[in-house]
Every structure is written in C-alpha cells, then in structure tokens.
Amino acid sequence: MSTTMNQLSYGGLVMTMNNPQIRRIVQDLRSAYVPTKAYRKLEQNFQMLLDQRRADLAEGITSSVRGIVLIGQSGSGKSTAIRELVKQNRALIASNPEEEVCEFIGLQVPSPATMKFVGAATLNALGYPYSGSQSGPVVWDMVKRQLELRRTLFLHLDEAQDLARYQTDKERQAVVNTLKFLMENSQWPVGLVLTGMPDLKNIVNQDAQLARRLYPIEIDRLHDLRHAKSVVDLVKGYTRRAGIAISDELKSESFARRLMHAADYEFGLLAELTVQSITEAITSAGITVALQIKHFAEVFHARSAAIDGLNPFIAEDFTRIRARDVLGGVSV
Ligand SMILES: Nc1ncnc2c1ncn2[C@@H]1O[C@H](COP(=O)(O)OP(=O)(O)OP(=O)(O)O)[C@@H](O)[C@H]1O
Ligand SMILES: [Mg+2]
C-alpha cells in the first residue's frame, strides 16, 4: 500500500483523515479480514500440522513433516491470509522474530533465488545477519542450525514462484532439494509454507516428493455469476461496519459484476477497492454519506488515471476493459 488514503480524496469538501472518527473507521476497515473458503482450508491444514508436530515433540519423535502451498494470482490475498493465520494463532505459536523462540518465521524469496541467496535471506529473517561468502550448502547448514536453536516449526516463503526465475535447471533442482531436505526426517524438521503465483505449481509438481509433502490450497478467482450475490453482501457488510448508508444502485448484481471486473476477479483486490471507496466517500463527504458507484469510479480513476471509457464503473460495455492492464498491476 503505497498511496496514502489522503491522496484518494479529491471531492469538493475534503474532510481529511485528521478527523479522528474518520481515521478510526478507516483503520478498522483496513484491518478487517474477511475469511474466505481458501482461508478456512489454510487454517484447518495449519492446525493439523501444528497439532501433529506438537504431539511428536511431546513424545520425542522426529519424523518427516509436511507443509502447505498456497497459490493465487496477484491480489488474490495470499500474503494477507498468512498474516491473518499468524495473528489468529498468536496464542498457539510463537511468531515474534525478536524473541529467542520463534516457531513461525516468514520472508520473501530474494532475487535471484539461488540456494545461497535464499539461505542468506532466511538467516537474516531469523535475525542472524549474514553477508559472508560461503557456498550454498554451508549457508543452509547454518540455516538448519539456527532453525533448531530458535525452535522454528514453520518457515514461510512468500513470492515462492520466484524460486524458479532466472535459474538454470541445476540451480532450480538444488533449491527444491534444499526445501525438501528441510522437511525431511532429521534432527529438526521444519514445515514449509510456500505462497506464490500459479507458476509455483510447476515448481512443486516438478518434484513428486516435494509435491507429496505439501498440502495444496488455491485461492480461486471470482465468478461473475456465481459470486455476484456474495459480492453485494460483502459491500453491504463493509458499509455496515463503517456505519454508513449504501445507495440502492450498489445492491444490484450488475454493480457486483462491475466491481468483480474492476478487481480482475481477485477477492483481495475487490475488498481493497471497496475499503478505498468507502474511505473516499467518508473523507470527501463525511459519515452521513451513502456509498455510491461514483466513489468506486473515483478510486479506480485515482489508481489508474483511466479515462471514463476504460473505467469499469462508468463504461457501458465494461466487460471488454482489461482491468489488470489499466490498473498496471500496481498495488495501492
Ligand atoms: N480476506 C481478505 N479480507 C479483506 N481484505 C483482503 C483479504 N485478502 C486480501 N485482502 C486485501 O487485498 C489486497 C491484496 O492482498 P495481498 O497483498 O495479500 O495479495 P497477494 O495475493 O499476496 O498478491 P501479490 O501476489 O501481488 O503479493 C490487500 O490490500 C489486502 O488487504
Ligand atoms: Mg503477496
């Protein structure tokens, strides 16, 4: 999120975010997580893996562990889902990297994702600054040692599709072997949580052993007919939470289809556009406003600078607009 919410406001009467009531509403909306089908599956698999591992530890058994691979397009909500998972399980699993025991540690795959770079980035995430020149296998020995010292049960690699980018076949296999090795029966096996774009499927499926050790979860794209009603309910839910009214034009499934199209059928983007539209409405007209389609149109314009003909909330024939191209893939 790089654009500040203030920038989204350019209505006539600008009530800035300095208004504490408005600021509180916006903060609340932005922190609200809407549980999805994929999230529930993620939570279930995670609990199962965590229970198994705790039971093994209690009995002093070390067996191979399993992990999770969460796949979805950009903006589907992968990183947010993992953040929510960690937040919801704060009481069950230590996840503060500042503390000695850190049972869940997350990082973004660096580029280029050579074995050595990924190892060094993992050490850094563990609070063990590393910029030495040892070879990949030596760095990974250090990683394994640190993971054991910190009692780490899960290692989350975000943007894991990058593990295959700009790599020779040999390097790619070395990375896959290293990941597999982490979960294998050893003194301290660590469960992997990989999140990434659909290309990640190819990396995982390239190695049958790795695939077998990971439970796959996919964040499905929205479907214009199947999800229209739940999208209407979602927008209503957000307005209710904000304590503002909603105009009738937003209660129709045809609006829901425009919104899904504008969000390129990705749930996360859709939630983000809705939160920003409510922010736009209340910062420009106050909390007595009723949310209208024009607020969505303004947010889409602010994010893309698109002319009306390329704005899914304005154009008559919106289905021909390639929303992702118009938005330029930027995350606001
Ligand atoms: N379940 C949810 N409830 C509410 N908002 C959500 C939800 N999931 C995602 N979002 C919002 O959607 C936006 C995009 O989500 P996120 O960054 O997690 O996507 P991503 O799949 O990790 O994308 P990328 O591949 O580009 O990193 C964020 O603004 C996030 O707050
Ligand atoms: Mg992400």
Side-chain angles (χ1 to χ4, degrees):
M1 293 243 174
S2 55
T3 308
T4 66
M5 290 296 178
N6 279 334
Q7 279 170 277
L8 289 174
S9 250
Y10 39 83
L13 175 63
V14 178
M15 291 195 188
T16 66
M17 302 282 283
N18 295 332
N19 178 325
Q21 191 184 8
I22 287 179
R23 205 171 49 227
R24 241 189 340 267
I25 295 174
V26 171
Q27 270 163 358
D28 175 63
L29 292 181
R30 291 181 67 181
S31 62
Y33 185 78
V34 183
T36 58
K37 204 168 92 203
Y39 179 78
R40 290 200 186 92
K41 194 168 168 198
L42 173 70
E43 167 76 37
Q44 250 172 22
N45 284 339
F46 181 75
Q47 286 303 338
M48 181 184 65
L49 294 175
L50 183 60
D51 289 351
Q52 270 169 9
R53 190 66 204 288
R54 293 259 191 244
D56 281 358
L57 283 170
E59 287 173 35
I61 304 171
T62 38
S63 54
S64 295
V65 297
R66 292 185 176 225
I68 292 169
V69 56
L70 175 65
I71 308 258
Q73 294 285 356
S74 174
S76 56
K78 304 177 290 295
S79 307
T80 314
I82 300 293
R83 254 199 313 278
E84 180 69 12
L85 181 75
V86 172
K87 193 171 136 196
Q88 292 299 333
N89 287 280
R90 258 191 313 226
L92 297 177
I93 182 160
S95 54
N96 182 353
E98 309 277 306
E99 281 169 20
E100 197 178 324
V101 172
C102 184
E103 296 171 314
F104 189 106
I105 187 97
L107 66 134
Q108 201 169 316
V109 166
S111 185
T114 60
M115 210 176 132
K116 193 175 139 178
F117 264 48
V118 179
T122 310
L123 283 177
N124 280 319
L126 284 158
Y128 186 93
Y130 176 82
S131 54
S133 58
Q134 276 104 329
S135 66
V138 177
V139 175
W140 276 96
D141 278 346
M142 292 162 76
V143 171
K144 285 210 90 173
R145 209 162 44 243
Q146 284 301 313
L147 290 170
E148 182 176 356
L149 275 173
R150 305 288 298 278
R151 317 306 284 170
T152 307
L153 306 180
F154 292 96
L155 173 67
H156 169 220
L157 298 178
D158 200 5
E159 310 283 356
Q161 76 281 348
D162 285 353
L163 289 168
R165 195 167 291 172
Y166 314 123
Q167 301 271 47
T168 62
D169 283 351
K170 199 164 149 246
E171 259 298 341
R172 200 165 22 239
Q173 194 56 49
V175 172
V176 166
N177 288 343
T178 308
L179 298 180
K180 225 163 46 180
F181 179 59
L182 274 180
M183 293 192 284
E184 265 162 22
N185 192 352
S186 70
Q187 210 170 314
W188 189 261
V190 175
L192 278 179
V193 179
L194 302 179
T195 52
M197 310 249 280
D199 280 355
L200 175 57
K201 262 191 269 188
N202 301 332
I203 307 176
V204 171
N205 290 333
Q206 157 191 324
D207 189 291
Q209 283 178 313
L210 181 64
R212 204 160 42 79
R213 294 205 167 98
L214 296 172
Y215 291 109
I217 304 173
E218 204 149 344
I219 306 184
D220 292 329
R221 297 184 77 195
L222 296 166
H223 186 275
D224 61 349
L225 298 176
R226 265 202 319 273
H227 294 117
K229 186 172 175 310
S230 34
V231 166
V232 171
D233 290 343
L234 182 85
V235 177
K236 278 190 200 160
Y238 267 115
T239 53
R240 219 175 300 127
R241 187 165 178 137
I244 65 168
I246 180 169
S247 64
D248 284 345
E249 63 186 8
L250 300 192
K251 294 178 187 161
S252 71
E253 295 197 359
S254 74
F255 162 73
R257 283 197 279 278
R258 284 183 185 270
L259 177 53
M260 279 188 267
H261 196 82
D264 198 24
Y265 301 92
E266 295 303 338
F267 183 85
L269 275 178
L270 188 138
E272 189 178 285
L273 281 174
T274 305
V275 169
Q276 289 179 340
S277 301
I278 295 177
T279 304
E280 165 60 21
I282 59 179
T283 49
S284 62
I287 53 166
T288 53
V289 69
L291 186 66
Q292 293 155 52
I293 197 163
K294 74 170 188 199
H295 300 122
F296 285 84
E298 278 167 13
V299 165
F300 194 88
H301 178 76
R303 288 183 62 147
S304 63
I307 54 164
D308 288 359
L310 289 177
N311 189 321
F313 298 105
I314 297 173
E316 188 117 359
D317 180 14
F318 65 92
T319 53
R320 66 181 166 74
I321 299 170
R322 294 165 66 98
R324 178 80 66 173
D325 292 351
V326 179
L327 284 173
V330 270
S331 182
V332 186

